[in-house]
Amino acid sequence: MSNRQQHRKPATPRIPGWGRLLGFALAEGYLVALATLAAIAFVPVLFGWHATMVQTGSMEPHISPGDVAVASPWDENDPVPMGGVVQYRSPAAAEPDGIERLRLHRIVEANDDGTFVTAGDANHDVDSSSLKRSQITGQARILIPMIGLPGFWLNTGNYGPLILWGLVTLAALILAFRGPGRHPDTNDDSDGKPDLPEEEVAEERVGVTEILSPRRLDRRTALTLIGLAAAGSIVGTQVPVSSAAFSTRTRTKASWSVAKLPELTLGRAATYLLMAHESIQHSPTLGVGTTISGSVATSPGTKIEGFWPWDISGSTDRNTTGARNAKTDLMVLYAALDKYPATAIRDSVLSGTIRPGVYTSSTGRFTINGTVTLDGQGDPNARFIFRANTITSANGSTVVFTRGTKAANVYWRSTGDITLGSSSTNRGIYLANSHGVMQSRAELVGYLYSCTSSLTITRS
């Protein structure tokens, strides 16, 4: 062994400094976050959803320019989401520049003609054009903040932030590709070259080979490719742009306050299955009466006639304190039902399957014909409201509940009479402003009220 070999010191691996480790961790976290946000924004598009980049600030503070909103597909038969944010096409005739645009705004009100009022959360005023159901393309479901900013900067010519973002992303890609690494210590001899024993030179070569092997490159390469794909998708993917429908004035850092809809509850009226303003008249057949599994009341009237004592399982209250309190709550409910915007206008004859919503009649009257199925679609809170001037269930007709529908969430509100036909099966809460009639052999699972007149019950 030569003297030169005797003075060589063994090489020991050097763990990279904390700065380099921290840089790699930050780069890795940044690229993973970038890829995750990009995936959330663009993967739903593969399943028929719509991604749109917000270009204006009319929806602040909830939605800002550069955010990407993902909307679920829209069916014209779907209930219009009052208070929800929808994506829709604004026709050229409604645009100042005469060019059709994609809009993203909140529905705040329904018009009597079946159209809807929209507004931006940051706008003082509602949008100047009404929204038709046919214009809606989707309902906003997912919001990914800031992921569309590079595209927004590119579209608006704001190149300063775009270049800065590009440099940061490039630096993260370089750090991720290089990784934290391992660097062996070296000892320079007099000729300036590393002074290593042959065994350790071989080991170093093996180390270099391992670092460059596909196995060692898996994580770095994958992370780099993921980062490149995410950055490329963010800038290169042509995501449709949503604008704010124009408004006379706009304010920032404020929200549009949607009028809160009144609560729908029977309150103290829930005690009574039958209640009338003036009277309740029962007509037994051959002395056989109608079974009422609960209480009945009148207020301010006091006339309740024709029932045998055993017909009514609960109390019979004639303008008692309880009846007056119930009447007060009943009138509150009747008025509250009128505050809910209609989601659809239906033909006067109801039939088939109906999904949750607020329905008005095209002719001013509703007639239940055959079997009507109210489908709650698995939602125990699914609500159905039917409003008309008169409501009639035809003889032998049937109302059926399915998939979670409850009688307490089904409201039949008439500004005139309500008639439950002979041998019909009825379910829900029936509120007539005028007269209520329950004909022979009719069945009711729920409540029947007359707010300003009387009820007539024929033996079932």
Side-chain angles (χ1 to χ4, degrees):
M1 181 181 296
S2 65
N3 293 334
R4 181 180 181 88
Q5 289 177 328
Q6 291 176 353
H7 288 89
R8 287 176 181 169
K9 297 179 180 179
T12 57
R14 177 169 55 90
I15 299 174
W18 285 108
R20 191 173 183 190
L21 285 174
L22 180 61
F24 175 75
L26 290 175
E28 185 177 40
Y30 170 76
L31 293 176
V32 169
L34 197 69
T36 301
L37 291 175
I40 295 173
F42 300 116
V43 168
V45 176
L46 302 177
F47 300 92
W49 288 43
H50 316 290
T52 178
M53 183 183 70
V54 180
Q55 190 169 337
T56 67
S58 70
M59 288 297 293
E60 288 185 326
H62 305 106
I63 305 175
S64 301
D67 293 349
V68 169
V70 183
S72 60
W74 173 260
D75 189 303
E76 284 197 30
N77 295 321
D78 291 339
V80 174
M82 296 305 303
V85 176
V86 294
Q87 182 188 75
Y88 63 93
R89 296 197 176 277
S90 180
E95 296 296 325
D97 56 5
I99 301 175
E100 181 183 275
R101 297 186 184 280
L102 198 63
R103 303 290 187 187
L104 192 74
H105 265 191
R106 192 181 304 278
I107 297 179
V108 297
E109 190 177 345
N111 297 320
D112 293 337
D113 61 358
T115 61
F116 300 88
V117 178
T118 56
D121 288 353
N123 288 350
H124 277 289
D125 303 297
V126 298
D127 298 334
S128 56
S129 298
S130 296
L131 174 68
K132 298 178 181 179
R133 292 177 63 93
S134 58
Q135 294 175 240
I136 301 175
T137 60
Q139 181 178 356
R141 301 286 188 180
I142 304 172
L143 180 68
I144 305 94
M146 300 185 291
I147 193 66
L149 278 175
F152 173 72
W153 294 326
L154 183 62
N155 290 342
T156 57
N158 193 2
Y159 298 117
L162 180 62
I163 293 172
L164 179 60
W165 173 82
L167 293 175
V168 170
T169 303
L170 179 61
L173 289 170
I174 293 173
L175 285 171
F177 182 75
R178 293 182 63 186
R182 285 177 67 237
H183 300 276
D185 276 338
T186 60
N187 297 304
D188 293 341
D189 57 13
S190 57
D191 60 7
K193 296 181 180 180
D195 189 14
L196 297 174
E198 293 181 1
E199 295 84 354
E200 294 186 19
V201 170
E203 289 178 7
E204 182 185 19
R205 289 173 180 169
V206 171
V208 171
T209 303
E210 288 180 356
I211 291 174
L212 295 177
S213 69
R215 178 176 60 83
R216 293 294 302 271
L217 279 173
D218 278 349
R219 181 180 178 186
R220 299 179 190 177
T221 304
L223 184 59
T224 305
L225 292 176
I226 289 172
L228 283 171
S233 66
I234 290 171
V235 177
T237 304
Q238 296 298 313
V239 179
V241 173
S242 283
S243 302
F246 56 91
S247 174
T248 56
R249 289 176 297 161
T250 301
R251 57 192 168 101
T252 56
K253 296 184 179 179
S255 61
W256 176 272
S257 57
V258 180
K260 184 178 180 180
L261 294 172
E263 183 182 2
L264 298 182
T265 175
L266 282 171
R268 292 167 291 186
T271 304
Y272 304 103
L273 301 184
L274 302 177
M275 186 169 187
H277 179 80
E278 296 177 355
S279 65
I280 301 176
Q281 182 67 45
H282 177 240
S283 300
T285 300
L286 300 176
V288 179
T290 300
T291 300
I292 309 296
S293 301
S295 300
V296 300
T298 54
S299 179
T302 58
K303 186 177 181 180
I304 301 176
E305 296 181 341
F307 293 98
W308 295 105
W310 52 83
D311 289 340
I312 301 172
S313 64
S315 62
T316 302
D317 294 349
R318 296 175 172 84
N319 200 30
T320 61
T321 299
R324 289 191 292 271
N325 291 336
K327 179 64 182 303
T328 298
D329 290 353
L330 174 61
M331 299 307 295
V332 170
L333 173 61
Y334 182 86
L337 288 168
D338 196 41
K339 302 295 184 182
Y340 280 69
T343 56
I345 300 175
R346 297 189 62 98
D347 293 336
S348 58
V349 177
L350 298 177
S351 60
T353 299
I354 301 176
R355 291 184 286 187
V358 181
Y359 301 100
T360 58
S361 171
S362 58
T363 63
R365 62 180 180 274
F366 274 137
T367 299
I368 301 167
N369 189 29
T371 299
V372 173
T373 301
L374 303 186
D375 182 2
Q377 299 183 315
D379 181 3
N381 298 314
R383 180 181 290 150
F384 299 80
I385 299 175
F386 298 90
R387 292 198 305 254
N389 296 333
T390 61
I391 296 176
T392 302
S393 60
N395 294 343
S397 63
T398 302
V399 175
V400 176
F401 289 171
T402 186
R403 295 205 295 174
T405 305
K406 298 178 181 178
N409 293 330
V410 178
Y411 300 90
W412 307 86
R413 180 189 183 273
S414 170
T415 57
D417 296 343
I418 290 181
T419 302
L420 308 183
S422 178
S423 301
S424 62
T425 301
N426 309 275
R427 289 176 169 82
I429 301 171
Y430 294 78
L431 300 96
N433 190 47
S434 187
H435 199 61
V437 177
M438 190 171 177
Q439 296 179 346
S440 61
R441 298 183 303 282
E443 179 182 345
L444 171 62
V445 180
Y447 303 83
L448 177 60
Y449 301 120
S450 171
C451 297
T452 63
S453 188
S454 302
L455 295 180
T456 300
I457 311 297
T458 302
R459 192 270 177 191
S460 59

